[in-house]
Amino acid sequence: QVQLVESGGGLVQPGGSLRLSCAASGSIFSINAMGWYRQAPGKQRELVADITSGGDTVYVNSVKGRFTISRDNAKNTVYLQMNNLKPEDTAVYYCNAGVRLSALGHYVNYWGQGTQVTVSS
């Protein structure tokens, strides 16, 4: 039905930058909010940033001023630009999207497979 494919994770030194991408594909009628979550070992998954179809954004306090979420509605793609990365940003990052498959359908949450981000010297 719907697939979310993430890319862009990796190993970076503290203070470095990474850009994550997530493309949604399949039988998509529309997408409302798209977002990025992360889960560090031994911790619960948390919302990092979220963006509506109209461009309104929400960020967790710990990333404000360092991360920027954006989206290309024509490509059903969401991005996360991460600057000034810190060791505490190390986690698996997951893409999330609320997708409707038809005009009469409800929005359903879909998740990507996750991409590892490691910040270490």
Side-chain angles (χ1 to χ4, degrees), residues 8-113:
L11 172 65
V12 64
Q13 292 186 342
S17 298
L18 284 174
R19 188 188 192 217
L20 305 183
S21 300
C22 172
S25 63
S27 302
I28 298 170
F29 179 78
S30 64
I31 301 176
N32 54 7
M34 301 185 81
W36 290 95
Y37 289 69
R38 66 186 178 187
Q39 187 166 18
K43 294 187 176 182
Q44 289 188 332
R45 189 175 297 190
E46 66 169 353
L47 173 68
V48 177
D50 187 84
I51 183 168
T52 68
S53 57
D56 294 326
T57 58
V58 172
Y59 296 92
V60 67
N61 284 339
S62 60
V63 308
K64 286 181 179 178
R66 300 187 297 123
F67 291 11
T68 302
I69 189 170
S70 61
R71 67 190 279 176
D72 184 332
N73 290 331
K75 296 181 179 180
N76 290 333
T77 299
V78 63
Y79 307 95
L80 186 68
Q81 177 66 42
M82 304 185 293
N83 298 328
N84 190 22
L85 282 158
K86 303 176 180 180
E88 51 264 41
D89 294 318
T90 295
V92 178
Y93 284 69
Y94 296 92
C95 173
N96 174 270
V99 179
R100 190 165 55 164
L101 304 182
S102 69
L104 299 179
H106 298 288
Y107 283 102
V108 176
N109 265 337
Y110 288 88
W111 292 90
Q113 79 284 358

